[in-house]
Amino acid sequence: MQKFIQLWLGQTASRIGSAMSAFALTIWIWESTSQVTALALLMFFTQLPRILLAPVAGILVDRWNRKFLMAIGDAVSALLTLTILLLYISQNLQIWHIYVAAAINGIFDQLQQLAYSAAIATMMPEKHYSRASSLSFLASYGASIIAPTLAGILYSAIGLSGIFTIDLATFTIAIATLVSVKIPQPAIVSNPQPTRFHLLQELSFGFRYIVERPSLLALLVSVSLFWFAHDIGAALYSPMILARTGNNARILGTILSAAGAGGVLGASIVSIWGGPKRRIRGFLLGMAGAGLSKIVFAFGQALSIWVPAQFCSSFNFPILGSSNEAIWLAKVAPEVQGRVFATRAVIVQLASAIGLLIAGPLADRVFEPAMQPGGFLAAIFGGILGTGAGAGMALLYAISALGLFLVAVGGYACRLLRDG
């Protein structure tokens, strides 16, 4: 795994910089609008191009050099960061600029992520798949420890421009590391009858591959339902904390760092342990644990509840995520993983996008007004969730967290998934 770890270190540096920028943009947008919908739309516009272009991206990953695609993804992200920085410095930055940049970045980030996932199978034997996947979670959650704390402190000192400058430096590290690593490219399967395999058939290949394997289809449905419920809560997460703490960026940063710490511990354990032999059990138990922890988080109104609940929630994600990824890597042939993983990404991201689209209006127009003093839901839930700013978001977050737990319970009840 030596070459993979070298690649992973460079990508980790880039993740830290990007996470700092994302945190700073979250604060900037919330301070500018005080609307959940504005933040949810940022996440939505990041997802939308991934949904539309993932099938084409999958074909490219199976046909083009995966190292080149990863480099292009990093380079475009750096260019977009520079563009936003220049707009901000010149005092011309508007929210729609950020939405456009997020959409463009989503296209190339999709290519980069698919190429990175598919590269795992060519860089190491199957016995290391769970470890490699857990290291990816370690990078993500490691960034979540460092980035929010740094960005929360630096935001008031150096502002958005200083944080974006740091992000640009981390992109340089990522690209330089990528250039120095050899990523094996699988042989492209020649087509004996090219006239039968036109673009439409290529685009539908991943879907047909999954449908023909019922256990993979059941897994995909379970993952999609999980992320639909999860991303309703994800859209509420930052604005809920900011609303309940008077826009305190340091408290939000502390909670996000707790998320990172829990994720790092979970990823480290999986990396050393290798994950459960019955990977589907790790997947389902991880979902159940995440759901229960998030339910507790929703009822919290202070750091003493938020921090441990978030830590426990994030601890489960490397377990469920690495188990899920290892199943796909083992069951899908390396030469078609680009197309199959792209299909998986389209369906999961479509479920995620629907969750993001409904979360903002539900919070701003239904749950928040209903949980104000005298609101029709405040009389029922106000005693346990409180009332006022953020209480409606907390109630909707609790409902989404309950959904996560129910998806896990349903997975255990589905024999095709449990024994697949």
Side-chain angles (χ1 to χ4, degrees):
M1 295 181 63
Q2 181 179 354
K3 293 296 181 182
F4 174 78
I5 290 174
Q6 185 178 343
L7 173 65
W8 172 81
L9 287 171
Q11 294 300 307
T12 299
S14 178
R15 281 178 180 268
I16 292 172
S18 297
M20 290 180 66
S21 291
F23 182 91
L25 279 176
T26 296
I27 303 300
W28 187 82
I29 292 173
W30 178 255
E31 288 178 343
S32 301
T33 67
S34 297
Q35 292 289 316
V36 178
T37 301
L39 286 170
L41 283 175
L42 174 61
M43 301 171 72
F44 172 77
F45 283 118
T46 302
Q47 291 281 51
L48 182 62
R50 299 184 183 199
I51 297 169
L52 298 175
L53 298 175
V56 176
I59 295 172
L60 293 177
V61 168
D62 285 340
R63 295 289 185 265
W64 289 14
N65 184 282
R66 291 169 180 177
K67 180 176 178 178
F68 172 75
L69 292 175
M70 291 175 65
I72 290 294
D74 282 334
V76 170
S77 294
L79 182 60
L80 290 169
T81 299
L82 178 61
T83 302
I84 295 295
L85 173 60
L86 294 175
L87 286 169
Y88 178 76
I89 291 173
S90 63
Q91 298 184 347
N92 290 314
L93 181 62
Q94 299 180 35
I95 291 177
W96 72 265
H97 292 143
I98 299 172
Y99 291 162
V100 171
I104 297 172
N105 186 62
I107 297 171
F108 290 92
D109 190 53
Q110 179 75 80
L111 275 173
Q112 205 252 15
Q113 288 186 8
L114 285 172
Y116 181 82
S117 295
I120 292 175
T122 63
M123 296 183 76
M124 66 194 70
E126 182 180 338
K127 66 180 181 180
H128 291 313
Y129 287 171
S130 290
R131 288 188 172 90
S133 296
S134 69
L135 283 173
S136 296
F137 280 95
L138 186 63
S140 177
Y141 284 107
S144 296
I145 294 176
I146 300 169
T149 302
L150 282 177
I153 295 171
L154 295 176
Y155 185 76
S156 58
I158 61 176
L160 199 65
S161 58
I163 291 174
F164 269 48
T165 301
I166 295 172
D167 191 10
L168 287 171
T170 63
F171 277 123
T172 303
I173 295 172
I175 294 172
T177 306
L178 177 63
V179 169
S180 66
V181 175
K182 180 180 180 181
I183 300 177
Q185 184 76 9
I188 298 174
V189 178
S190 60
N191 182 11
Q193 294 178 301
T195 57
R196 294 182 58 192
F197 289 86
H198 50 72
L199 180 60
L200 183 60
Q201 289 171 311
E202 283 284 278
L203 291 173
S204 65
F205 174 84
F207 181 77
R208 288 184 282 111
Y209 189 98
I210 294 171
V211 169
E212 290 167 1
R213 294 156 177 82
S215 62
L216 277 183
L217 180 60
L219 179 61
L220 179 58
V221 170
S222 180
V223 172
S224 299
L225 290 173
F226 177 86
W227 285 105
F228 167 76
H230 176 276
D231 283 353
I232 291 176
L236 307 170
Y237 184 92
S238 294
M240 179 180 71
I241 300 301
L242 291 169
R244 305 203 97 177
T245 61
N247 290 355
N248 193 314
R250 292 198 178 190
I251 289 179
L252 177 60
T254 299
I255 297 170
L256 289 171
S257 294
V264 165
L265 180 60
S268 299
I269 289 174
V270 174
S271 181
I272 296 169
W273 169 33
K277 291 182 180 179
R278 289 279 294 147
R279 289 163 177 162
I280 194 63
R281 291 182 181 175
F283 171 68
L284 294 173
L285 284 173
M287 285 201 299
L292 288 173
S293 301
K294 286 181 177 295
I295 291 172
V296 174
F297 185 91
F299 287 97
Q301 298 183 49
L303 276 175
S304 58
I305 301 297
W306 285 327
V307 167
Q310 183 59 73
F311 180 92
C312 292
S313 172
S314 298
F315 176 84
N316 288 279
F317 277 84
I319 299 172
L320 74 89
S322 61
S323 297
N324 174 54
E325 194 69 16
I327 293 170
W328 287 90
L329 287 167
K331 289 193 172 187
V332 179
E335 63 271 15
V336 299
Q337 284 180 359
R339 284 166 288 173
V340 175
F341 288 2
T343 299
R344 177 186 63 171
V346 167
I347 295 173
V348 172
Q349 289 167 3
L350 181 60
S352 169
I354 294 171
L356 294 172
L357 273 181
I358 67 175
L362 280 175
D364 290 330
R365 300 177 185 179
V366 181
F367 282 85
E368 277 292 288
M371 287 296 287
Q372 297 302 309
F376 75 92
L377 290 176
I380 303 172
F381 299 104
I384 53 176
L385 288 168
T387 58
M393 287 183 267
L395 177 56
L396 184 55
Y397 191 94
I399 294 171
S400 71
L402 178 61
L404 302 183
F405 180 74
L406 293 177
V407 170
V409 173
Y412 271 108
C414 177
R415 186 173 182 178
L416 182 62
L417 177 62
R418 185 181 68 245
D419 300 334

